[in-house]
Amino acid sequence: MTLRLSLIAGALLGLSSSVANALQTCGQAQYDPAQYVCWFDNFLCPVIAGEGLSYCGGACYSKFQYTCNGNVLNVLPTLPAGTPFTLTVSNPTLTINGQLVSASGQHWGLGGPTSSYCPSQVGSSCPQGNITAIYAGNGGAAMDVIVPGGQLVYLRPDWNVGYTQAHSAYIPPGSLTTGFAAYEGGGFVNLNGNGWGWVACPPTASGGGGGVWNLVAKNSTNAASLNLCTAINLKVNTLPQGTVGAWQYT
Ligand SMILES: *[C@@H]1O[C@H](CO)[C@@H](O)[C@H](O)[C@H]1NC(C)=O
Ligand SMILES: *[C@@H]1O[C@H](CO)[C@@H](O)[C@H](O)[C@H]1NC(C)=O
């Protein structure tokens, strides 16, 4: 009897010293505020990408993809096809929170400079080309450019985001060109890979980020190899209709 009690006491001590954050109370439950958020003093929702999920009539949801109307969860409307937008990193726990997705080297990075080009004969009609603008539609996405043929966005075989070179339709075999959704007032979501979401990988761990934080789409097979990366959402910021990002992104 004494032995059992001391074992239990030991187990409890072990537990309390392994919990880094002071627990808080939500209804009958104790929770770690780094991992959960408490709604209406009663419901726990997990923290994903540095933010507690929202609550709607018994379900936890991401405001980047859903909206709650009278306790009913609805998927946000997708942006009308062709609406230009930029994307910003959303994870309040990261230093790159709020920074723009940037196109450079046929690849999307997080927070770095945008690389673009405009032929000199286009002259003063060249767009600024210093922000990375995108549009989406029919499950696909493209860079917001003038160059004839456009520049298609795709998930590369390494599940980084790439885009076609101007004047070329070449896409590496094994790439995915569909399965993206841009939600109005929400996020840019990768629907490939069963909802593992986006991660931000610090420059040293990115392997291909070109010195800036790198964007990778997580899935069941690459999840373990991305353990140095942090979950993020990509927030959609719509631009006025007709805004052109660049002549072409390089
Ligand atoms: C793009 O260039 C314009 C004009 O030089 C400048 O006002 C603007 O701040 C720049 N935007 C970014 C994101 O660098
Ligand atoms: C997940 O991504 C990796 C690249 O990081 C890719 O090789 C693999 O095929 C993907 N897995 C699935 C199930 O699509």
Side-chain angles (χ1 to χ4, degrees):
M1 190 62 181
T2 7
L3 178 66
R4 267 185 80 191
L5 277 179
S6 68
L7 277 178
I8 291 166
L12 285 175
L13 278 176
L15 177 71
S16 61
S17 63
S18 72
V19 174
N21 295 285
L23 295 182
Q24 293 184 6
T25 302
C26 185
Q28 310 278 34
Q30 298 254 290
Y31 72 100
D32 175 355
Q35 296 192 46
Y36 293 93
V37 62
C38 179
W39 289 101
F40 308 116
D41 264 333
N42 207 6
F43 305 100
L44 287 174
C45 285
V47 169
I48 306 281
E51 264 179 289
L53 293 185
S54 305
Y55 178 83
C56 185
C60 300
Y61 72 96
S62 166
K63 63 180 186 190
F64 291 92
Q65 199 173 359
Y66 296 92
T67 179
C68 184
N69 306 105
N71 282 344
V72 177
L73 211 49
N74 294 117
V75 178
L76 285 167
T78 50
L79 280 184
T83 307
F85 58 88
T86 61
L87 292 171
T88 42
V89 174
S90 180
N91 181 328
T93 68
L94 288 181
T95 54
I96 53 165
N97 184 43
Q99 294 197 21
L100 286 162
V101 164
S102 55
S104 184
Q106 260 63 62
H107 174 267
W108 286 9
L110 302 172
T114 290
S115 306
S116 65
Y117 167 78
C118 188
S120 54
Q121 59 271 30
V122 179
S124 58
S125 315
C126 283
Q128 287 290 347
N130 62 353
I131 56 157
T132 298
I134 303 138
Y135 59 85
N138 298 321
M143 306 307 290
D144 181 23
V145 292
I146 302 174
V147 69
Q151 294 184 282
L152 195 68
V153 169
Y154 56 88
L155 214 49
R156 304 190 322 198
D158 62 2
W159 284 45
N160 284 218
V161 180
Y163 50 93
T164 54
Q165 216 153 4
H167 312 294
S168 166
Y170 176 75
I171 296 171
S175 300
L176 299 168
T177 55
T178 59
F180 306 115
Y183 296 104
E184 208 162 340
F188 182 73
V189 175
N190 170 36
L191 302 168
N192 300 292
N194 288 324
W196 284 74
W198 303 109
V199 292
C201 302
T204 48
S206 65
V212 299
W213 284 69
N214 191 25
L215 176 70
V216 183
K218 209 168 174 177
N219 65 36
S220 56
T221 42
N222 69 15
S225 68
L226 296 171
N227 58 349
L228 293 174
C229 308
T230 308
I232 58 166
N233 285 295
L234 293 180
K235 183 174 175 295
V236 167
N237 313 290
T238 53
L239 296 168
Q241 268 319 326
T243 305
V244 178
W247 174 273
Q248 74 191 57
Y249 291 106
T250 55

